[in-house]
Amino acid sequence: MPTTKTFAFYHKSKIEYFTDSTVIYLNNPVNCPLRYFLKSNNQSIKKLLNQYDTITLKPLSDSIIVIRHKNFILKEKIILKNKYGNPRIPINKYPISLPFKTNTKYKVIQGYNGIYSHNHIGSLYAIDFNLRIGDTICASDNGYVVGVIDCYSENGDREWTDYANYITIYHPKSNLFTQYVHLDKNGSLVKQGDTIKTGQPIAISGYTGFTNHPHLHFNVKCATDSNWISQKVNFIEGYKGIDLKKNTIVKK
């Protein structure tokens, strides 16, 4: 197992503690809305944080939060967490492109609600295509790269879930995100911040993370108040995601 975990993007947010205030510097380095959640295990601190429970930053923006208090230092009791997306922006669904090259065809090896790994809220409507190691993955829609991990080289059972290589792209027209998972080591052809066009080659397929077979795990997601959840998808090539059962052949 890897000894360290890599993150899809890095931010410069930080907290400074003073005797009369706590100053929180929030940073959004990605080209999509980003929500910060201020948490604490201390009940007194939780009360101070009530009005700041969730702060949504616009793409590529910063914010400073000043929390006033008296005669004590909070010191290391505030926990910062973040999630992609703004659930207050309406979703605009439309058909998108299959995530591989034109004039190719692939078999579906796991569709919606798959028992193996498409069985929780974050992956219910993901689709696995049997791309081979070294095959080219293409963007399904115009957007911005908001996360890249491509440093891992191995695969295994469920404990490898957090060690897959993948790319996340935000699509402002739909307010949805697409993810392309199980990339080859150093298999990203793009970097965080890149502007992407539909059909553009973005990665090389691999065999990393939680999987027992080389393939592309393709997932469309949206932000909600409590989760980041998988969404149904249709393709401009005429396929409906709900019809793509195991062993279905799709052509582009």
Side-chain angles (χ1 to χ4, degrees):
M1 296 286 292
T3 56
T4 59
K5 183 178 177 181
T6 299
F7 296 93
F9 68 90
Y10 295 93
H11 58 89
K12 299 177 182 178
S13 300
K14 65 177 182 177
I15 303 174
E16 292 184 341
Y17 299 93
F18 304 96
T19 55
D20 62 346
S21 63
T22 296
V23 182
I24 304 171
Y25 302 88
L26 298 179
N27 166 244
N28 179 6
V30 293
N31 209 337
C32 73
L34 189 69
R35 289 169 293 156
Y36 275 95
F37 303 88
L38 310 185
K39 304 294 183 181
S40 175
N41 295 320
N42 182 293
Q43 291 300 319
S44 297
I45 307 307
K46 282 184 178 180
K47 292 180 180 178
L48 284 173
L49 296 177
N50 278 343
Q51 63 177 312
Y52 304 110
D53 182 56
T54 304
I55 299 107
T56 302
L57 298 187
K58 294 180 180 180
L60 305 174
S61 67
D62 300 314
S63 184
I64 298 175
I65 305 297
V66 179
I67 301 174
R68 303 289 182 186
H69 47 76
K70 293 182 179 180
N71 300 324
F72 66 93
I73 299 178
L74 303 188
K75 198 172 184 180
E76 298 180 357
K77 293 181 179 177
I78 295 177
I79 302 166
L80 281 181
K81 295 185 176 182
N82 57 57
K83 289 183 180 180
Y84 293 120
N86 181 358
R88 302 292 173 262
I89 300 175
I91 290 173
N92 172 34
K93 284 190 177 182
Y94 49 82
I96 58 178
S97 182
L98 287 166
F100 39 81
K101 294 173 70 174
T102 302
N103 298 320
T104 58
K105 62 181 180 179
Y106 290 98
K107 181 167 63 176
V108 174
I109 61 174
Q110 186 179 194
Y112 289 2
N113 303 292
I115 295 174
Y116 182 72
S117 61
H118 299 175
N119 49 22
H120 58 87
I121 196 168
S123 67
L124 283 179
Y125 305 116
I127 303 171
D128 291 348
F129 299 100
N130 72 329
L131 273 69
R132 299 166 291 273
I133 297 173
D135 284 357
T136 301
I137 298 167
C138 298
S140 63
D141 194 9
N142 298 334
Y144 302 106
V145 178
V146 295
V148 174
I149 293 178
D150 71 349
C151 62
Y152 299 125
S153 60
E154 299 179 73
N155 64 282
D157 293 330
R158 193 169 295 275
E159 66 267 22
W160 286 84
T161 298
D162 292 336
Y163 302 103
N165 295 327
Y166 65 93
I167 291 171
T168 303
I169 298 178
Y170 176 60
H171 309 283
K173 183 178 176 180
S174 63
N175 193 34
L176 292 171
F177 297 80
T178 52
Q179 286 193 317
Y180 311 77
V181 187
H182 305 306
L183 314 181
D184 205 12
K185 184 176 182 180
N186 300 320
S188 177
L189 305 178
V190 296
K191 63 184 183 302
Q192 180 188 312
D194 283 356
T195 300
I196 301 300
K197 298 296 183 183
T198 302
Q200 176 180 335
I202 58 170
I204 303 302
S205 191
Y207 192 18
T208 58
F210 171 34
T211 178
N212 59 8
H213 193 281
H215 70 279
L216 167 65
H217 173 92
F218 176 73
N219 200 4
V220 179
K221 291 188 173 185
C222 78
T224 69
D225 286 333
S226 56
N227 292 292
W228 203 38
I229 65 174
S230 186
Q231 294 283 294
K232 295 179 180 180
V233 62
N234 293 325
F235 297 98
I236 59 177
E237 291 81 6
Y239 300 100
K240 294 183 178 180
I242 197 170
D243 295 331
L244 298 185
K245 310 298 184 182
K246 185 177 179 179
N247 293 324
T248 301
I249 303 294
V250 293
K251 300 178 182 179
K252 183 175 179 180

